[in-house]
Amino acid sequence: MADSRMPWWKTLGNKVGTKQASSAQESRRQCLPDRSSLLSTMEMEQEKISLSKELNPDSASYRCSACHGDEDWSYGNPIRGRAKSRSLSASPALGSTKEFRRTRSLHGPCPVTTFGPKACMLQNPKTIMHIQDPASQRLTWNKSPKSVLVIKKIRDASLLQPFKALCVYLMEENNMIVYVEKKVLEDPAIVNDEHFGTVKKKFCTFREDYDDISDQIDFIICLGGDGTLLYASSLFQGSVPPVMAFHLGSLGFLTPFNFENFQSQVTQVIEGNAAIVLRSRLKVKVVKELREKKALIPNGIDENGVLPPGLEKESGRQMMHYQVLNEVVIDRGPSSYLSNVDVYLDGHLITTVQGDGVIVSTPTGSTAYAAAAGASMIHPNVPAIMITPICPHSLSFRPIVVPAGVELKITLSPEARNTAWVSFDGRKRQEICHGDSISITTSCYPLPSICFRDPVSDWFESLAECLHWNVRKKQNHFTEEDEEF
């Protein structure tokens, strides 16, 4: 069985074999322009030598439609085009490399890495990310989904009826296994409902930080606001099942579905006919020095000192791991002094933050706390990490965007007068002291959020409906009489 972490082009190469490689090599020869008529005899000999080097599979080569799917070779000016088919359910023959790559991959075409007739990018096997094509991201199932996790906003009486209707539909109409958090069923309105009693006995329950359900859930349905989606993300520190979020909260920027026609919409998702947007998450590692006994029990550890998932111990240190969907916030906490933290990027000190704190956010989180602090709003498909200061003590300190995949490290400055506090999507808040560090990079486990229409339309509609982006009264047009003056 192929390694799931292996790049798709290597997996394809293993399947196709050497015959495919030789045919692709022959195609490259056909794609290269014939410049022999323009060269002298000596130049022709030199051209043959360079040609043999270009055709070597171990060296950088020109890209063409035969070897890279979407890219047609043009001397000096590569032309890129999309394949017509976008069906993820298609299974073309292995000999059709172009069709296979465009119908099975969730990523867009590889960027051209040759520049002019001679220059090329040095090959790097440690590829971090690809440029994604949002229109090609479609949901499909290897097998029909059988289990679903329903997350409901707690202490909201208006959600009880939609919750009951959804669970009855999933269990009785679709014969699915429904998981819910144990405290959801402890609501008096559910306990005292006799008509819901038969359905309630069929639930599978779990408790946060105690039960691991990561390998038991096929997809997730959220009822509530954006907080329910953030909560769903926190339950899965590894691979996250697809999430379908219904707008039943106050804002609903991340919840594109309305509940009125939930039956047809849920059926469409179960059948695998839906667009998805891959919302990148941040992988965070907090390293803390072990000091007094109380420091051994941070947030999330029970009274018996049992280490929850994501917490490790080193000699004299403790390490905690988190997967964050929106942002990591480092602030000055209750202290009246400015926060004073150093920010490193790939081991290099880039700045010292003096102010109320700093926000490190994903593109999804750019429309949350970061936007309120003056940052730009980034589409979820853009691979990036945003660094936004909170009320900085400098007029020139502006938010910046860095590439996804870089590693940020944040520590207290040696001259800091006070400690700092850190929180992850508004949860697990804890104190950071001298000697502690926070390492942040892009996680390899994004959150696949199911779209109502498509990633672009849903995002701009949320900007207009929820944040009222660029909403204003339009200017009146001139009449013919006004134009004369």
Side-chain angles (χ1 to χ4, degrees):
M1 184 175 180
D3 189 352
S4 60
R5 296 172 295 179
M6 183 180 293
W8 56 265
W9 60 86
K10 291 185 179 180
T11 306
L12 180 64
N14 293 337
K15 293 181 179 180
V16 176
T18 56
K19 292 183 178 180
Q20 181 77 11
S22 61
S23 63
Q25 189 174 6
E26 183 64 24
S27 300
R28 291 191 187 100
R29 290 194 183 96
Q30 297 175 1
C31 291
L32 291 173
D34 184 10
R35 293 179 286 172
S36 59
S37 60
L38 302 178
L39 301 173
S40 63
T41 305
M42 183 178 297
E43 291 173 335
M44 289 174 63
E45 294 297 328
Q46 294 178 351
E47 186 69 6
K48 290 179 180 179
I49 296 174
S50 62
L51 179 63
S52 63
K53 292 182 180 179
E54 291 169 350
L55 293 177
N56 187 347
D58 295 330
S59 62
S61 60
Y62 293 96
R63 296 180 179 272
C64 65
S65 59
C67 55
H68 285 277
D70 289 332
E71 299 167 6
D72 297 325
W73 195 89
S74 176
Y75 185 72
N77 296 292
I79 301 174
R80 287 160 51 186
R82 290 178 178 171
K84 294 181 179 179
S85 175
R86 280 185 179 164
S87 173
L88 286 176
S89 60
S91 298
L94 291 177
S96 179
T97 307
K98 178 176 180 180
E99 188 72 14
F100 178 86
R101 288 178 177 170
R102 282 303 294 158
T103 57
R104 301 303 298 179
S105 175
L106 291 181
H107 300 292
C110 297
V112 176
T113 55
T114 57
F115 319 104
K118 299 295 183 182
C120 64
M121 183 181 293
L122 183 65
Q123 288 190 345
N124 181 10
K126 297 181 179 179
T127 304
I128 296 176
M129 56 85 186
H130 295 285
I131 300 174
Q132 295 178 345
D133 179 8
S136 68
Q137 295 175 179
R138 305 288 301 181
L139 176 65
T140 186
W141 302 102
N142 294 325
K143 296 181 180 179
S144 299
K146 295 298 182 184
S147 60
V148 57
L149 170 62
V150 178
I151 297 178
K152 183 184 80 70
K153 187 178 179 182
I154 306 296
R155 295 185 297 274
D156 191 340
S158 64
L159 296 181
L160 290 175
Q161 193 58 37
F163 171 75
K164 294 176 183 178
L166 174 64
C167 293
V168 169
Y169 176 75
L170 291 172
M171 289 183 178
E172 297 183 354
E173 299 293 333
N174 293 278
N175 196 26
M176 301 195 72
I177 303 171
V178 178
Y179 286 78
V180 295
E181 197 170 6
K182 189 175 182 179
K183 59 185 178 182
V184 171
L185 299 182
E186 296 173 354
D187 193 305
I190 295 179
V191 174
N192 300 327
D193 190 342
E194 298 179 356
H195 300 285
F196 195 64
T198 56
V199 177
K200 186 176 65 174
K201 295 178 181 179
K202 299 179 182 179
F203 282 117
C204 292
T205 60
F206 72 96
R207 294 178 299 169
E208 183 187 8
D209 292 334
Y210 286 90
D211 302 319
D212 184 13
I213 58 172
S214 56
D215 295 331
Q216 304 173 30
I217 305 300
D218 293 330
F219 74 103
I220 306 169
I221 297 180
C222 295
L223 303 177
D226 295 343
T228 58
L229 189 68
L230 297 175
Y231 178 69
S233 172
S234 68
L235 294 176
F236 296 87
Q237 295 303 298
S239 178
V240 187
V243 182
M244 183 180 190
F246 286 94
H247 173 37
L248 293 169
S250 55
L251 183 62
F253 189 88
L254 306 178
T255 55
F257 289 93
N258 293 320
F259 196 76
E260 286 76 14
N261 302 317
F262 76 92
Q263 294 95 337
S264 60
Q265 294 170 343
V266 171
T267 300
Q268 192 174 11
V269 171
I270 294 175
E271 293 174 352
N273 183 18
I276 59 172
V277 56
L278 300 179
R279 298 186 179 274
S280 65
R281 299 196 295 174
L282 297 176
K283 182 176 70 173
V284 186
K285 180 178 72 174
V286 180
V287 180
K288 303 184 76 171
E289 301 261 354
L290 294 180
R291 296 175 182 89
E292 52 187 83
K293 188 174 181 181
K294 291 183 179 179
L296 295 175
I297 308 179
N299 293 353
I301 299 184
D302 62 20
E303 297 177 356
N304 298 323
V306 178
L307 300 178
L311 183 61
E312 302 174 3
K313 271 191 177 182
E314 282 186 349
S315 56
R317 291 187 174 187
Q318 61 182 12
M319 298 194 325
M320 291 160 284
H321 300 270
Y322 303 96
Q323 296 281 337
V324 178
L325 179 60
N326 260 2
E327 73 273 305
V328 179
V329 177
I330 297 96
D331 60 79
R332 60 188 175 93
S335 174
S336 59
Y337 295 111
L338 295 175
S339 68
N340 201 332
V341 296
D342 294 334
V343 180
Y344 296 83
L345 191 149
D346 287 340
H348 301 282
L349 177 66
I350 57 172
T351 191
T352 297
V353 179
Q354 297 184 88
D356 282 353
V358 63
I359 305 169
V360 180
S361 61
T362 63
T364 297
S366 68
T367 52
Y369 195 175
S376 297
M377 295 179 288
I378 306 176
H379 190 274
N381 275 108
V382 178
I385 299 175
M386 177 172 283
I387 304 172
T388 306
I390 307 173
C391 299
H393 206 247
S394 170
L395 295 177
S396 60
F397 195 174
R398 308 303 303 163
I400 61 172
V401 179
V402 296
V406 301
E407 183 175 4
L408 297 171
K409 186 176 181 180
I410 300 176
T411 61
L412 274 180
S413 300
E415 62 273 13
R417 296 182 178 181
N418 57 305
T419 62
W421 289 76
V422 61
S423 62
F424 314 95
D425 283 342
R427 311 180 74 213
K428 307 292 185 182
R429 184 171 171 83
Q430 53 196 272
E431 190 175 14
I432 299 298
C433 305
H434 287 280
D436 301 341
S437 66
I438 306 168
S439 299
I440 306 171
T441 188
T442 304
S443 171
C444 61
Y445 299 110
L447 184 142
S449 179
I450 301 174
C451 302
F452 179 69
R453 290 188 179 88
D454 60 78
V456 176
S457 299
D458 285 7
W459 192 68
F460 277 101
E461 186 172 346
S462 294
L463 287 181
E465 294 295 328
C466 300
L467 301 184
H468 304 290
W469 179 67
N470 198 28
V471 175
R472 64 179 295 274
K473 186 178 179 180
K474 291 185 177 181
Q475 227 176 13
N476 294 329
H477 67 281
F478 283 132
T479 62
E480 295 181 359
E481 297 179 356
D482 294 332
E483 289 179 352
E484 294 179 358
F485 297 97

